[in-house]
Amino acid sequence: MHVKCTTLWLQKHGNAPGEYEDAAHPTGLIEVTEEDEFRCAVADGATETSFSGLWADLLVQGFVEKESLNESRKKWQEKIPSSDQPWYVEEKAQAGAFAALVGLSLNSDQSWICEAVGDSCLFHVREEKLLQSFPLKSAEEFNNRPSLTCSIEAASTEIETIRLTGDWQNGDKFLLLTDAIARWLLHDFENGVTDLLSLENNEQLSKLAAEQRALPGDDGRPRMHNDDITIMKVEIN
């Protein structure tokens, strides 16, 4: 099993790179050969909560390293500042951080497993055609209140992770995307998948996002919502 994994990202327009609250693991460009399993994930930290970027980062690392959710939660508690914070920051931290997550496991027996919470999505592509989108299947399914994983167990009702399994063939591609770019892709998959698979760096992603954020959709709103963007491209040869 030869896997090539490329990760691109872009912060919300108007924000600095340090305000990016998505996460991916692994990052950059990597190639893996002769492994029985390859694991990768992307997550989207909820802007309304404190230290959500940290939580997203711990979630993707935890998925890849097969940590329990409680282990990731413990790490989050240990890493957040515990003093000298404004009262409203401390109050938000006590309520916990929230994030969506989608993770993919590829196995050498040509099977795959996807795990997801929320509206970050997996797309399975073969010969430029969409075989599967998960957990959402249409742009209309996206909303402002997705199910999210919380960094504090007591802060919310536990959200169940949903899973999907399938088989892969040599030449297959998988895209793991956070919500804004996933929703855009589902609006026009035939053209969008070609655009995404051809991206080679963050500068090209920035140009695509600027163009699509400026174009009106059928509802009069921008075709691509102004949000953090993460794209993970996984190719099997």
Side-chain angles (χ1 to χ4, degrees):
M1 182 172 69
H2 176 228
V3 178
K4 179 181 177 182
C5 180
T6 309
T7 303
L8 307 177
W9 65 275
L10 178 69
Q11 75 275 14
K12 182 187 300 184
H13 177 68
N15 284 6
E19 296 175 280
Y20 168 79
E21 293 177 312
D22 285 358
H25 194 67
T27 57
L29 169 64
I30 67 162
E31 295 193 48
V32 175
T33 57
E34 299 181 0
E35 296 287 342
D36 290 332
E37 182 182 27
F38 175 78
R39 293 170 68 88
C40 58
V42 303
D44 181 358
T47 303
E48 300 79 9
T49 58
S50 292
F51 310 110
S52 59
L54 170 62
W55 179 229
D57 193 48
L58 291 171
L59 280 176
V60 294
Q61 291 185 49
F63 176 85
V64 171
E65 295 167 11
K66 299 184 179 181
E67 291 181 349
S68 70
L69 189 55
N70 283 336
E71 288 178 283
S72 298
R73 284 171 168 157
K74 182 179 178 181
K75 288 182 178 180
W76 184 83
Q77 289 279 10
E78 292 171 346
K79 287 178 177 289
I80 62 172
S82 57
S83 61
D84 298 325
Q85 297 294 316
W87 65 268
Y88 54 86
V89 174
E90 292 186 6
E91 190 174 81
K92 276 194 169 184
Q94 290 173 5
F98 291 79
L101 171 74
V102 62
L104 174 67
S105 301
L106 296 173
N107 302 301
S108 58
D109 64 359
Q110 294 192 285
S111 68
W112 59 263
I113 303 172
C114 180
E115 301 182 18
V117 176
D119 54 7
S120 292
C121 292
L122 171 83
F123 296 85
H124 183 189
V125 180
R126 181 175 296 159
E127 297 178 352
E128 311 304 310
K129 295 181 180 179
L130 178 64
L131 297 185
Q132 186 76 50
S133 65
F134 179 78
L136 305 183
K137 300 184 182 303
S138 71
E140 290 70 31
E141 292 183 62
F142 289 84
N143 59 60
N144 293 326
R145 298 185 64 84
S147 299
L148 300 172
T149 296
C150 184
S151 62
I152 299 177
E153 184 176 6
S156 66
T157 303
E158 195 65 63
I159 301 297
E160 183 179 359
T161 299
I162 57 176
R163 293 174 175 82
L164 182 71
T165 62
D167 299 316
W168 59 264
Q169 296 179 9
N170 284 334
D172 282 2
K173 299 177 178 67
F174 293 87
L175 291 167
L176 283 72
L177 310 175
T178 49
D179 62 337
I181 192 75
R183 184 176 186 174
W184 171 82
L185 182 58
L186 282 170
H187 266 302
D188 188 2
F189 181 84
E190 184 174 347
N191 295 314
V193 71
T194 301
D195 289 337
L196 295 191
L197 291 175
S198 65
L199 294 176
E200 296 181 355
N201 52 55
N202 289 339
E203 289 73 22
Q204 292 177 358
L205 171 59
S206 180
K207 181 180 178 182
L208 172 68
E211 292 171 350
Q212 296 302 314
R213 287 168 177 168
L215 289 175
D218 296 338
D219 58 1
R221 298 178 180 179
R223 292 191 64 190
M224 186 182 295
H225 291 187
N226 184 25
D227 198 357
D228 293 334
I229 294 172
T230 303
I231 300 171
M232 180 176 281
K233 301 188 293 182
V234 182
E235 305 173 51
I236 310 174
N237 298 305

